[in-house]
Amino acid sequence: MIVGLNTWFSDIIFTSAFPDLELVSDQNWERLELWAGERSIFSVYLCANENGLIYLTDLGQIMEQYMIENRLPFASFSLRESPERPEDPFRRDFVAVFSSYFWDDYAESFIAQNFLTTLSAKQISSSAYDMVAFISKKGENITVRHHVVFYADGILGTMDWENEGTEEKDIAQHDINVSAMNYEAEIQESYPDKEIKLLSFSVSVGPRNITYYVIDRKNLTQMFFINAFNVFELFEIQGVTTAKTTVERDTAVINRRETFYDRTIEKKYEVQTSALSSPVKDWVEQFLFSPLVKMFDPDADSIDEMTEVLITESACEISNSNTELGKVKFTWKYADVYPRLNSIDRETKSPFSQQFEFQFK
């Protein structure tokens, strides 16, 4: 039976910081199980050494895989012996917060002060929306405060409002949908008959805060990706995109005639971003490392309906030189087997009057 756990770890811990465990047993072997909620997701038989010690490693990766499959930024787990002793069963309960990166901070203090993103400021286009996620504990004040800066008929103005709330669950995830269009509509109600131009908006919950600066650029490549905390986040890429098409086919001779077979066409998009700051570069690394990337579609009802894309090649170049700027270069393609065509515009147009389209979709 398990009589002790020699390894200490916090009740709320990052998966990347989960330690290798040393347990004390009075038997030659033990069967240990990892439970997620009310379901056993992993079990293993381990032998004790001559000192009665059992070692269990890489448990953090098992928890990460469970959270990836269930799209969770955190989960409640318990480590138990099996079969349990009716008089004094061994059980260690804890909450694991998903993290594909190692952090110096403790998970409990991090989630109490930060949204589930590594950026405190982002850019967003007027047509896009983003997801701002955070984790709260029971009794916490989860009032969401909004602050917007805008022009109303050329006159600078600000507005503030909030949505009050208090966390009732022991621990919970919340998602805040932010959209420049929604904020403009909110401002327009207070400033009827005025021309509104949104400059920025900030969202805060307790000490958590993030600011978005609204941009008017249209030639953006927009993608959602699973970030380091296993939640979706929007990346709007400013830079140069080059489409590359490769056609391959084999030949065979049939009845003294040569013919093609196994025809394949592959279309890739090579992106060279504009200059990036160091915090943004670290954040973009999460995009390149992401297990799931979706092409942004404003007409989709949810992110799940958006088309999946694959990041096939990537390179980050960041220098502390005063004359060199940080840039990221990557190549992506649609996950679909068949090549994609843009929607067909059936309106008859003169070839001399068509507007140049420099964004690849």
Side-chain angles (χ1 to χ4, degrees), residues 186-334:
E186 187 79 24
I187 299 168
Q188 197 75 67
E189 292 183 3
S190 301
Y191 292 81
D193 304 323
K194 290 184 180 293
E195 182 181 354
I196 302 300
K197 179 178 175 57
L198 183 62
L199 300 179
S200 68
F201 56 87
S202 299
V203 180
S204 59
V205 179
R208 310 173 186 91
N209 183 79
I210 187 169
T211 299
Y212 287 83
Y213 296 95
V214 182
I215 57 177
D216 295 327
R217 291 192 59 176
K218 305 298 182 183
N219 58 324
L220 299 170
T221 302
Q222 301 165 301
M223 297 181 181
F224 273 110
F225 69 97
I226 295 289
N227 67 9
F229 304 102
N230 205 35
V231 295
F232 273 115
E233 194 168 358
L234 178 68
F235 179 27
E236 294 191 293
I237 305 146
Q238 301 184 47
V240 177
T241 299
T242 303
K244 296 184 177 182
T245 302
T246 303
V247 178
E248 294 183 356
R249 49 203 167 194
D250 294 323
T251 60
V253 177
I254 301 176
N255 293 330
R256 299 182 180 180
R257 292 181 60 88
E258 193 171 33
T259 185
F260 290 124
Y261 72 98
D262 283 350
R263 295 178 303 161
T264 61
I265 179 172
E266 185 178 55
K267 208 168 188 177
K268 293 184 177 182
Y269 301 87
E270 186 179 277
V271 180
Q272 173 72 67
T273 68
S274 55
L276 302 174
S277 64
S278 182
V280 173
K281 185 274 300 183
D282 292 336
W283 176 72
V284 171
E285 282 184 1
Q286 300 172 43
F287 163 75
L288 301 175
F289 184 57
S290 177
L292 180 61
V293 180
K294 297 270 191 171
M295 180 60 69
F296 176 78
D297 182 358
D299 297 324
D301 293 332
S302 68
I303 298 178
D304 291 335
E305 293 183 359
M306 298 180 187
T307 305
E308 183 179 353
V309 300
L310 305 176
I311 309 300
T312 58
E313 301 172 25
S314 62
C316 297
E317 295 181 1
I318 300 296
S319 172
N320 60 0
S321 169
N322 294 329
T323 59
E324 296 182 13
L325 299 175
K327 294 182 179 180
V328 172
K329 186 176 182 179
F330 66 93
T331 302
W332 65 272
K333 67 176 182 178
Y334 288 103

Side-chain angles (χ1 to χ4, degrees), residues 13-56:
I13 185 171
F14 283 127
T15 56
S16 58
F18 199 85
D20 295 338
L21 302 181
E22 181 183 272
L23 302 101
V24 182
S25 173
D26 57 7
Q27 303 292 325
N28 293 329
W29 60 270
E30 296 283 357
R31 182 171 184 258
L32 294 171
E33 292 186 346
L34 180 67
W35 286 64
E38 300 302 319
R39 181 164 68 95
S40 175
I41 63 170
F42 174 75
S43 64
V44 62
Y45 289 91
L46 295 173
C47 294
N49 62 17
E50 64 276 9
N51 297 319
L53 300 178
I54 291 177
Y55 296 94
L56 180 57

Side-chain angles (χ1 to χ4, degrees), residues 136-151:
S136 59
K137 297 178 63 179
K138 188 171 185 178
E140 182 180 347
N141 184 343
I142 54 173
T143 297
V144 182
R145 300 184 299 276
H146 305 268
H147 174 76
V148 293
V149 181
F150 57 93
Y151 281 124

